[in-house]
Amino acid sequence: MGGKLFKNFSFFSATLSFFILIGIFSILFTYAQDSIREFGFDFLGSEIWEADEDDEEIGIFGGYIPVIGTMLSTLIAMVIATPLAMGIAIFLTEIAHKTLVKPVSIAIELLAAIPSIIYGMWGLFYFAPIVQSTFGGQGVGLLTAGIVLAIMIIPFMAAITRDAMNTVPDVLKESAYAMGATKFEVIKDVIMPYSKGGIIGSIILALGRALGETMAVAFLIGSVMAIPSSITDPTTSIPVLLANNFSEAQGLEMSSMYYLALILFVVSFAIISVAKFYFLGKKVK
Amino acid sequence: MNTKNLIMEVKDFDFTYAGVDDPSLKQINLPIEKNKITAMIGPSGCGKSTLLRAMNRIHDLYPGNKYGGEINLYRENGEKENILNLKKENDLIRLRQDVGMIFQKPTPFPMSIYDNVAYGMKLAGVKNKSELEGRVEKALKDAAIWKETKDRLNSSALGLSGGQQQRLCIARAVALKPDVMLFDEPTSALDPISTGAIEELLAELKKDVSVVIVTHNMQQASRLSDYTAFMYLGDLIEYDTTDTIFMNPNVKLTEDYITGRFG
Ligand SMILES: Nc1ncnc2c1ncn2[C@@H]1O[C@H](COP(=O)(O)OP(=O)(O)O)[C@@H](O)[C@H]1O
Ligand SMILES: [Mg+2]
């Protein structure tokens, strides 16, 4: 009885979320129509973003810069975060003394729970000057945004990876040690392959988060429509452009912003789907 | 007893787990004869696994345990080495290559059948491909699992049945040519047919290695072993030939356990 109710409810929720997804997609697609018809796929290669001087309703809009900005800041974040998160997870599961595991784990979970705007403010006032004095540039820019994004996603990645690594049975590790393996070899040959699904899942989920992150990046990337020529240069990203321009845009510019949103939606959706269906869905035997 | 035939010897051995006041093993004395099967029996919690896990120092993965006494390993040349004195990681690794261990649950690594068997040899530094292939094949034959695996060496070991996985683990250990193999209830997670296959295998294996087996199953101990040690509450109560232990034990407690009066 209760089981049936629950089953119906889950079915209802699952169907509902499916329809919400379809709904969001259709709305983005509909509002992006004007821009899609006007610019087609060339939208992705064009770096001009300008409303017409006489008529605010029209103009030339290209998504190259925010797309590149999104990709580069995410790439920087992933390159920094992945090895560090793996290191933290390995440290917590295999190396740290028992008395250390608890406090560090709690700290990591707390860090993962901090709202991103706080990372943005901290990044702007504290971290950007450090990046500027170390790497040059203007403080805000791709590198600063990438590093702070990395700091934001590390706790999340480390926590999921640690959970995956904790599922490796002790006896499996013991049998590798019993074959004469060192700790490093056990980590490399047993723990990593065994928790591969969870590790890749955590990377992909973190990637999705970094791609869509708005507030922290808005503070740090510089928010200028310019192609970055060096890693410290300011530029913009899709979510940041959307957040900054949404209140004033109209006509074709508005439609182009929906086009950008559609691109972000499709890419994030594809990434999460791959994570869910391929890596997380596949049973780790 | 003639020490020439010993491969290992546990002498006045004590063991205390980290954070525990009382020793889990007290003054254990147990000879392990070369090319024989020695069984350890006794009720659950009496310390069988604890003793077995001292014999390859696998306890050392967890800090803070205390050893006392000696566990000697006799080398080819007749020299004896007290394995409790080993300190360096490299020495422990060498010990574990000489003294293999098989666990209660099969523990195939998440890699192919071939890589599972080649793993220990690769760790030990064997690089030559044809040597590896030869030894993998031999080990799989020795563990009586070659026929079932020869056409699927590159597929995942996780796809084998439980009994096959356990024989794969034995092959993996055998491939290292150990002097001693320790089995901790190797068949208690298996069906009767797989159990039978493993028992036959053990009887074959003792030509090449000395076997110590912990078992819950009294019939298994009596069928399989040459010597039997009966343990109770952290003490070794009686050690003798399996025939004596099962037909004519010296200690009343042993007899009570054998005849099923407790346990
Ligand atoms: N990691 C551990 N820490 C503390 N005590 C333990 C630990 N493992 C086992 N013991 C204790 O040591 C005793 C012997 O256990 P064990 O060797 O596993 O028994 P058996 O294998 O004969 O069933 C038991 O009293 C058990 O509770
Ligand atoms: Mg046990």
Side-chain angles (χ1 to χ4, degrees):
Chain A
M1 170 63 192
K4 198 169 174 207
L5 199 70
F6 181 72
K7 215 170 134 194
N8 285 337
F9 183 72
S10 335
F11 179 75
F12 174 74
S13 318
T15 329
L16 185 68
S17 29
F18 182 72
F19 278 110
I20 291 177
L21 270 176
I22 301 274
I24 293 177
F25 179 83
S26 334
I27 288 174
L28 293 178
F29 193 73
T30 313
Y31 284 109
Q33 267 311 302
D34 289 345
S35 179
I36 293 174
R37 227 176 280 128
E38 183 76 24
F39 306 114
F41 281 116
D42 293 343
F43 183 76
L44 286 172
S46 153
E47 56 202 65
I48 299 167
W49 189 278
E50 253 172 29
D52 193 278
E53 281 179 19
D54 305 319
D55 184 355
E56 292 268 306
E57 290 284 326
I58 57 172
I60 299 174
F61 302 100
Y64 182 71
I65 293 170
V67 168
I68 288 292
T70 304
M71 279 166 48
L72 288 179
S73 55
T74 303
L75 183 71
I76 294 170
M78 295 308 290
V79 167
I80 297 171
T82 309
L84 286 174
M86 297 301 118
I88 291 171
I90 289 169
F91 175 76
L92 283 177
T93 48
E94 295 304 314
I95 297 167
H97 190 263
K98 257 194 263 157
T99 49
L100 208 60
V101 172
K102 198 84 185 255
V104 176
S105 293
I106 292 175
I108 283 180
E109 269 142 35
L110 287 177
L111 282 175
I114 295 177
S116 59
I117 190 162
I118 293 173
Y119 279 102
M121 294 171 67
W122 170 79
L124 182 63
F125 295 112
Y126 181 77
F127 201 69
I130 296 179
V131 173
Q132 187 173 23
S133 59
T134 319
F135 299 98
Q138 311 162 18
V140 294
L142 269 179
L143 185 63
T144 316
I147 295 175
V148 174
L149 262 182
I151 296 172
M152 277 182 57
I153 58 178
I154 283 172
F156 173 70
M157 257 168 113
I160 301 184
T161 303
R162 175 205 56 191
D163 291 346
M165 289 181 170
N166 271 335
T167 64
V168 182
D170 279 343
V171 64
L172 191 62
K173 294 185 245 176
E174 284 176 5
S175 32
Y177 284 111
M179 308 279 305
T182 59
K183 181 165 267 185
F184 174 74
E185 287 157 347
V186 172
I187 292 169
K188 173 170 71 75
D189 300 325
V190 176
I191 296 175
M192 300 284 272
Y194 189 91
S195 39
K196 191 174 65 191
I199 294 173
I200 295 175
S202 84
I203 292 176
I204 293 183
L205 291 173
L207 180 64
R209 229 185 124 175
L211 275 178
E213 177 51 39
T214 312
M215 286 324 296
V217 181
F219 273 89
L220 299 169
I221 201 165
S223 310
V224 297
M225 262 295 187
I227 299 178
S229 59
S230 93
I231 197 173
T232 51
D233 277 356
T235 180
T236 193
S237 76
I238 298 177
V240 171
L241 179 87
L242 297 184
N244 288 346
N245 295 22
F246 214 78
S247 49
E248 292 133 43
Q250 42 185 308
L252 196 55
E253 182 174 10
M254 190 55 127
S255 176
S256 300
M257 292 186 12
Y258 274 104
Y259 196 176
L260 279 176
L262 182 68
I263 292 167
L264 189 61
F265 178 82
V266 170
V267 171
S268 312
F269 185 74
I271 286 173
I272 302 291
S273 307
V274 169
K276 276 265 181 295
F277 292 109
Y278 186 66
F279 293 111
L280 300 184
K282 205 164 66 177
K283 287 227 172 53
V284 187
K285 271 188 267 178
Chain B
M1 204 165 287
N2 185 354
T3 53
K4 254 193 232 142
N5 293 324
L6 290 189
I7 184 75
M8 280 184 110
E9 179 186 34
V10 181
K11 257 175 102 176
D12 300 330
F13 178 70
D14 298 306
F15 184 88
T16 311
Y17 277 107
V20 178
D21 291 333
D22 300 323
S24 291
L25 293 174
K26 288 155 281 186
Q27 293 293 305
I28 305 291
N29 284 286
L30 174 67
I32 306 295
E33 296 251 347
K34 207 169 188 168
N35 296 102
K36 298 281 191 254
I37 298 180
T38 304
M40 292 194 224
I41 59 171
S44 186
C46 68
K48 306 179 296 291
S49 299
T50 305
L51 178 55
L52 203 69
R53 290 162 64 87
M55 296 169 77
N56 68 346
R57 298 274 306 268
I58 203 85
H59 280 304
D60 289 47
L61 300 182
Y62 310 98
N65 302 315
K66 286 196 279 296
Y67 299 102
E70 294 174 25
I71 297 181
N72 295 310
L73 179 62
Y74 290 87
R75 298 285 175 188
E76 289 287 330
N77 56 13
E79 265 178 46
K80 75 173 182 182
E81 180 179 30
N82 180 359
I83 64 162
L84 299 182
N85 290 337
L86 300 176
K87 296 230 162 53
K88 293 197 221 87
E89 189 180 30
N90 275 345
D91 291 336
L92 290 177
I93 285 172
R94 198 169 41 84
L95 169 69
R96 289 170 192 155
Q97 287 165 345
D98 292 338
V99 181
M101 181 169 239
I102 306 294
F103 298 81
Q104 180 171 355
K105 278 221 191 103
T107 53
F109 299 137
M111 46 180 94
S112 72
I113 292 169
Y114 180 91
D115 287 339
N116 260 278
V117 183
Y119 186 65
M121 292 184 277
K122 284 183 182 161
L123 293 181
V126 181
K127 292 211 178 67
N128 183 307
K129 197 150 176 278
S130 60
E131 184 188 349
L132 278 174
E133 278 170 9
R135 284 177 67 179
V136 168
E137 178 174 338
K138 174 151 194 327
L140 287 168
K141 281 179 176 158
D142 288 346
I145 192 182
W146 172 248
K147 278 206 197 90
E148 294 136 275
T149 55
K150 66 176 193 291
D151 298 322
R152 51 194 286 205
L153 289 176
N154 291 320
S155 46
S156 168
L158 305 178
L160 297 171
S161 75
Q164 291 172 326
Q165 289 184 352
Q166 193 64 308
R167 275 179 284 147
L168 179 72
C169 292
I170 294 172
R172 195 167 73 182
V174 166
L176 285 171
K177 300 183 185 156
D179 299 323
V180 183
M181 282 176 71
L182 310 172
F183 292 81
D184 195 348
E185 305 193 25
T187 60
S188 62
L190 302 179
D191 61 85
I193 292 177
S194 305
T195 299
I198 302 251
E199 287 184 9
E200 268 176 46
L201 175 55
L202 287 178
E204 276 297 307
L205 277 180
K206 74 170 178 182
K207 289 182 194 143
D208 300 314
V209 292
S210 315
V211 171
V212 184
I213 178 170
V214 167
T215 176
H216 244 109
N217 178 331
M218 228 101 63
Q219 281 80 31
Q220 185 168 62
S222 67
R223 268 197 304 268
L224 212 56
S225 66
D226 303 295
Y227 296 92
T228 298
F230 169 61
M231 296 177 66
Y232 185 65
L233 295 179
D235 292 308
L236 196 145
I237 305 294
E238 187 171 358
Y239 165 84
D240 215 315
T241 61
T242 298
D243 285 347
T244 309
I245 293 283
F246 281 89
M247 314 290 238
N248 192 16
N250 281 314
V251 184
K252 179 79 169 48
L253 201 59
T254 314
E255 188 181 340
D256 288 349
Y257 183 72
I258 299 295
T259 51
R261 241 164 272 167
F262 72 96

